Amino acid sequence: MANRPSRRSRLALLRRAGNAWRRVSPFLGASRGKLLGLGASSVGVGLAEAVLLALIAALAASLSEGRGSVALSLGPLETTASTVTLLWIGFALAVVRGGFQILTAYLPAAMSANAMANLRQQLFEAFTRTSWSVQASERDGHFQALMGGHVSSTSKAIVLLGQAMSALLMFLTLVASAFVLSLPTALVLIVTSALLFVLLQPLSRRLRGHAKALSAENVEYSQGMQEVVRMAEEIQVFGPSQEYRDGFHRRIELVRLPLLRTRFLGKLVPVLYQSVALLLLILALAIVAVVGGDQLASLGAVVLILIRSVSYGQQLQSAVTQMDELVPFMDRLRQSLTHYAEHPKQDGAEPLPPVERLGMDTVSFAYQPGDPVLTEVDFEVAAGEAIGVVGPSGAGKSTLVQLLLRLRDPDEGRLHVNGEDARRFRRAEWNRRVAYVPQTPQLIWGTVSENIRFYRPDIPQEAVEQAARRAHIHDEILALPDGYDTVVGERVSAVSGGQRQRLCLARALAGDPDVLILDEPTSALDVKSEMGVQESLRSLKGEMILFLVAHRMSTLSICNRVMVVVDGRLQAIDAPQRLLESNAFYREAIEITRQQSTI
Ligand SMILES: Nc1ncnc2c1ncn2[C@@H]1O[C@H](COP(=O)(O)OP(=O)(O)OP(=O)(O)O)[C@@H](O)[C@H]1O
């Protein structure tokens, strides 16, 4: 029973090493070859060093005694050579060791840089391939935190893994050399290292706990930071109140404490290791002196090997400790990658024919089980129709749009195109034929042309300009300082709100879609800009299926039919004139609009 804790501790050490390896190895990818190279170079360093140390000890002994030749004892190999020869051999060994050492510095750096680039690509790919429901459920800043801190922590862990492996192999090579030179020395080395790891176990465990808290707080902090940038304009307008400042300061404080604890313990463990190791060494040397007897001849080499081993042991301990700090970051990164991969966008295999008819068959959808947002929605529209979508706030209009865009799939029922289930068709073609202009369109940092083309290099410049003409923005683009080459972006005021809306309309039209969905296309616009967008839509009518989600009833003037969505149910879908008679919500909304326009 008495030796139970220490056995458990030793097992814990093995577990820690295994855990670290299990966590880092999935991120190694193509770097495994480099890891093998690193292992080989480390053994090279260790061997060169062991022989060099024995040589130095022998040379020092012979020089102090003023002899011209040196009796060298390397375990079973006993030889005598001139001092000059041994000096040359020593010189060569030092150069060889230096060469291996350069490799042991280069390989972890290369592994880390590759891992950082690969991980970012992997993460980016996983994020873009995952479903909209997963992307939409993440808080702002989560992905940025993963791409930033978590990826660099993981690549740092790879450097540490390399360093740990190097230190371990050098340590083992020295232990093996010590076995050859002196059995008691080797035993002392093994016992000392085991004791050190056991003694430092509790501290390491605490360090892992603090590091986990730090990772969680870091994600929170990044999310908050993201909000600071995203809401910068509103904050400027509303004024950064004390409450806002206090909230952010609290976030900064929450990171401070686990950071302090993690950093402190991270530094303390190696320092303690050094002190305890030196104490144990003195004890060990005393034991070697007592039991070593005939080994005392090689005492110089033994001392040198002990000191070097302590240093490698310390490097190993320090690398493992630092890896412990990084484990939570790697865990979170792996969990996110798995989560993204487990929820891929569903795709169909068949090519999408031109959309003649589009509709829903008794579609129901819920974000949370048991809390339906759409219930048994049933309709069909034909090519060329313009359909308005109205309903009170929170009725489910935007959700309906997301289903039409195939960003989300119905829980029950089906979305159908030309009578076929939409899920059968390839998503890439759907994305091209079913275009969308969101409520608050976003511009990318790039030229006007790049904003309209939007990463679809197959769209020629003529099509870009044609789309701009159809969106009634071509002339205004030509009036910009560099025309289509003018750089615009989220915070560049080169374009007004109305122009931005029409630029995004041009973006949607550039792919020559069969279906165009506009979410509140004019809600944020002034009257003149609204008229511009209305004009564009009027000219598009009949060319494609148009869905106009609208709060402003004036937007509906071009619609053949209007859908009224109330409490997630499609209350009616009919011609505006008929709805005036048959639908209370529609009649009331029109009446309010009329009253407002006569004010
Ligand atoms: N991502 C989401 N997760 C959970 N619930 C959501 C989500 N998005 C919307 N909802 C809920 O679904 C319901 C319908 O929202 P939706 O945005 O579709 O309505 P809407 O008619 O477009 O509203 P508005 O006119 O105000 O934009 C609301 O109760 C809303 O809170």
Side-chain angles (χ1 to χ4, degrees), residues 559-599:
C559 294
N560 305 93
R561 291 192 287 164
V562 174
M563 296 165 79
V564 183
V565 183
V566 178
D567 281 341
R569 289 182 182 273
L570 182 57
Q571 221 175 49
I573 172 166
D574 212 340
Q577 281 309 319
R578 278 203 290 275
L579 280 179
L580 265 180
E581 290 158 23
S582 62
N583 189 276
F585 173 82
Y586 186 77
R587 198 167 40 243
E588 205 176 309
I590 291 285
E591 189 51 39
I592 292 170
T593 311
R594 277 201 192 122
Q595 283 170 9
Q596 282 172 340
S597 59
T598 53
I599 290 171

Side-chain angles (χ1 to χ4, degrees), residues 461-504:
Q461 186 61 21
E462 304 86 73
V464 166
E465 293 184 19
Q466 180 56 21
R469 280 195 193 90
R470 291 172 85 190
H472 290 252
I473 187 143
H474 176 70
D475 294 339
E476 286 161 72
I477 294 173
L478 292 184
L480 290 171
D482 296 313
Y484 278 88
D485 293 327
T486 308
V487 173
V488 291
E490 268 320 293
R491 289 178 184 250
V492 173
S493 52
V495 291
S496 68
Q499 286 172 333
R500 170 196 293 237
Q501 194 87 23
R502 276 174 292 140
L503 267 183
C504 291

